[in-house]
Each structure stands twice: as C-alpha cells, then as structure tokens.
Amino acid sequence: MGFAQSPISTVPVTASSSMRLGHGLRADGDGLLGCGNDYVVRFDDRGAHFTPVLGRDALAVAPLQLALQSIQRGTTPLACDLEDAPALAGDTAVYDRSPSIRERYELRDTGMEQSFVFDTLPGRGDLVVRCRLGGLGELAAPAADGGLDFVRDGQRLAHMGTVTGIDANGARARGAIRRDGDFVELSLPASFVVRAALPLVLDPFVSAHGLAVVPSNDSAPHMVWHAQLQRWL
C-alpha cells in the first residue's frame, strides 16, 4: 500500500531565537556526531573531539580532544577498556569502560556534560580520572572558577568546568581539576568517596559558552527546526 507524501515547504525560514537553541546526536560511520548551539562534537574509539563553532570569518581551530588514559583510587588502578566504541543512548554517548564503569557525554544546548559512573569502587584514597588532552587542549589555562579555559590569542574558545561528585543519595562534593602536561586529572577527595552511596558520579562540564560567534554563521547552521515535521534536522 502506498502513502502520499506531504510536500516540503519552500517558504524561506526566518531566523529566530528558537532556531538557535537545540542539540542532537546521531550515528555517523564508525562513531557518533553531535552538535549544540555553538559547537560540534565527534565521538569515536579515541574519545571525544569537541570543536567550538566560531563562524565563517574566524580562523580554523583544532578540536579539544579528550581521551581516557587511566582511573585510579589511591594506589589501586581500576581496569578500563581505553578503546571502547561509543554507544548511542538518546542525546548521550556512552563508553562501557568496564562492567562497573561508564564514561558518558550528555549533550546540552551549550555544551556536553562528561561524567564517569562507578557501580563499584575498590581501593582506598582519592578517586582520580586521567584524560589525555589534544588539539585545542594544548592551550589549557587555569580558569577563575577552578576549571580550565582553552584560550587562543586572548580569546576563550572553550571551557571545562569544575568537578562535582554525586552519590546515589544525592550527596554532593566539590572535586578538583588539574592540568598535568598533556593530561588533565579529574579527582574527588577520599573523605567523600569512602562514604558515598554507589553508584557514584564524577561530573565536569565542557562548553563553548561565552564565545563571540560571528553572526554570518547563521547562514549555514548545523541544526534547524523543521516546522512541518516538528523536529530538529
């Protein structure tokens, strides 16, 4: 049985504030491809590649690359699969690093929320997640809020926020973020981890928020709202 197709409107769409809000994630080749208001991100077996969208007139920028290197509690290393392929779960890219550890990237309009979920935590001491920085990550500098800014020629291109620990009962603790050469360390203090109800989440946020995006970029958006289909494209 055939079905008649609705004609696609050819009426020009006028830019509005609602068109500039949104995010999405889809399978793309061997990885996942996503975007938000002012960023594009790709996930593959080498990690996340986050690129701020600066507009047609801006100089090209290398993506901020984040690749998990190790997880440790005190002196106890936690076994991880460092080359896992990401799985698509709605607007979230999920890496199964072990049967009890998941690395997640939930896309938001203004950035992506990176989190590590721990169902079990052997060992004693601080919980430290170590990721390799590449591309734009080489321009990391301490930020006023305790996180990291990624700065080129005096302009902040991306920001990695502070670390928060959240346990299964909703208890929260402030963690720390530290650059160590080509790596960034995300940590939670032993005093919180030892009493945390599992699963425990370690949670920083990465964004391109606050950038001066060139207005002409709106002529070639990464995402638009289709009124007839009532969906983002």
Side-chain angles (χ1 to χ4, degrees):
M1 178 182 294
F3 295 89
Q5 294 184 344
S6 300
I8 302 297
S9 173
T10 58
V11 177
V13 179
T14 302
S16 65
S17 59
S18 64
M19 289 182 65
R20 300 189 183 96
L21 299 176
H23 59 269
L25 182 65
R26 65 175 174 82
D28 183 71
D30 295 330
L32 305 176
L33 181 65
C35 64
N37 290 355
D38 48 16
Y39 70 91
V40 177
V41 62
R42 181 171 180 81
F43 303 98
D44 56 27
D45 58 6
R46 294 172 297 154
H49 311 263
F50 180 93
T51 306
V53 174
L54 306 178
R56 293 184 304 182
D57 299 333
L59 295 175
V61 61
L64 166 61
Q65 299 169 13
L66 289 169
L68 178 65
Q69 291 298 296
S70 65
I71 302 177
Q72 194 163 317
R73 184 179 180 193
T75 59
T76 303
L78 307 185
C80 294
D81 180 356
L82 301 181
E83 297 182 355
D84 183 49
L88 180 64
D91 289 338
T92 303
V94 182
Y95 292 88
D96 288 323
R97 296 305 188 183
S98 81
S100 61
I101 301 174
R102 295 174 300 284
E103 180 181 6
R104 298 165 51 91
Y105 291 87
E106 181 181 350
L107 299 197
R108 307 278 184 86
D109 290 357
T110 58
M112 62 183 187
E113 186 167 0
Q114 181 190 28
S115 61
F116 293 84
V117 183
F118 300 89
D119 295 328
T120 61
L121 272 174
R124 299 176 64 86
D126 292 350
L127 178 61
V128 180
V129 174
R130 188 172 171 88
C131 297
R132 180 181 292 278
L133 291 171
L136 184 57
E138 297 174 359
L139 303 179
D145 66 355
L148 291 177
D149 282 337
F150 302 92
V151 181
R152 183 184 66 185
D153 297 331
Q155 183 185 26
R156 186 179 73 167
L157 303 182
H159 177 70
M160 192 170 190
T162 54
V163 175
T164 302
I166 309 168
D167 79 356
N169 295 328
R172 292 173 173 259
R174 174 77 173 261
I177 180 171
R178 183 179 76 92
R179 181 184 179 184
D180 178 20
D182 294 335
F183 299 89
V184 59
E185 290 186 347
L186 314 171
S187 63
L188 292 174
S191 58
F192 174 73
V193 178
V194 71
R195 67 175 188 272
L198 300 176
L200 171 65
V201 178
L202 183 152
D203 185 15
F205 189 77
V206 179
S207 72
H209 183 66
L211 295 177
V213 178
V214 179
S216 60
N217 186 68
D218 288 345
S219 66
H222 290 278
M223 178 175 283
V224 294
W225 175 254
H226 193 297
Q228 277 189 314
L229 299 179
Q230 289 292 294
R231 60 180 295 187
W232 292 100
L233 304 175

